[in-house]
Amino acid sequence: MAQLGQRFDATAHDTTQSDYSELPNGIYELEVESSDVVPTKAGDGTLLKTTMVVLRPEAYEKRKLFGQYNLENKNPTAQEIGQKQFASLCRAIGVRDVEDSEDLHFKAFTVKIGLGKPSKDGQYPARAEIKRYYFSDEGQLPEPAIDAEQPAPAKPANDNRQPAARAAGNDNNRPAAATGATGKRPW
């Protein structure tokens, strides 16, 4: 048991829960809310991690999108892709030179968001990601809007349901029970 040091009244606080579903495909206006430069998992490169917040469409206002940009990597292809994506972010924001990631904060930019691919090992589902950056120097920016057509939701890798044979009461598919000399299961 651990004492809190004071009495906490849970009814005095807002318990509205956030929506953590993926953002639907569409055109969004975002801004970078926070960022951090961190080493890659292997420790031999540098990532810029960003937290972006939706400004428009209003139905998704204040929702978050997390991104990362591979700035330095021992794999030249990964580094080239990451630097190209980062350059696109900078151009969309209207920044030419960046020394501090805070130079990117709280400046609106427009992107196309779409559902990415699940992880190859199936451990992580598909996530919303930036598919395209729009640049104001190319002309008129598209208005933020959700696409009329959305991809079908992916089935979870493991939905924890019993196999059909087991759910129907068929015990033929059950493994033999491991029992000791007392007839009790060892666990």
Side-chain angles (χ1 to χ4, degrees):
M1 182 162 63
Q3 293 294 318
L4 297 179
Q6 63 182 345
R7 184 172 190 84
F8 179 81
D9 180 5
T11 62
H13 299 275
D14 181 8
T15 57
T16 306
Q17 297 187 32
S18 297
D19 179 9
Y20 292 109
S21 62
E22 292 303 323
L23 290 169
N25 292 359
I27 307 291
Y28 290 82
E29 184 177 358
L30 307 174
E31 69 181 10
V32 176
E33 178 180 74
S34 64
S35 59
D36 196 16
V37 176
V38 298
T40 58
K41 190 175 184 179
D44 56 2
T46 306
L47 294 173
L48 172 66
K49 291 191 171 197
T50 59
T51 301
M52 296 169 259
V53 65
V54 174
L55 301 175
R56 293 188 311 145
E58 289 181 17
Y60 296 93
E61 188 177 16
K62 297 184 182 176
R63 291 280 305 272
K64 309 267 188 209
L65 181 71
F66 302 96
Q68 63 181 28
Y69 301 88
N70 226 329
L71 301 178
E72 296 174 345
N73 195 294
K74 72 176 184 177
N75 179 330
T77 304
Q79 180 170 306
E80 180 182 354
I81 291 168
Q83 289 181 354
K84 183 178 179 180
Q85 291 170 335
F86 184 58
S88 294
L89 171 66
C90 292
R91 183 175 172 197
I93 289 174
V95 175
R96 293 188 84 178
D97 299 312
V98 180
E99 281 189 52
D100 190 322
S101 65
E102 285 192 25
D103 295 343
L104 308 172
H105 293 192
F106 307 112
K107 296 176 182 172
F109 60 101
T110 304
V111 297
K112 169 73 175 165
I113 291 179
L115 200 59
K117 296 180 181 177
S119 63
K120 291 179 184 176
D121 62 6
Q123 184 177 4
Y124 300 105
R127 305 294 312 238
E129 61 185 32
I130 295 173
K131 298 290 188 177
R132 182 176 196 273
Y133 293 87
Y134 293 99
F135 310 122
S136 59
D137 61 4
E138 288 184 337
Q140 192 69 15
L141 295 175
E143 280 297 311
I146 302 306
D147 293 351
E149 298 277 328
Q150 295 292 322
K155 288 179 66 177
N158 179 3
D159 62 9
N160 294 324
R161 285 187 274 177
Q162 295 290 328
R166 204 180 256 178
N170 182 349
D171 289 343
N172 293 337
N173 292 337
R174 287 191 181 178
T179 59
T182 62
K184 293 183 180 178
R185 295 178 190 251
W187 56 91

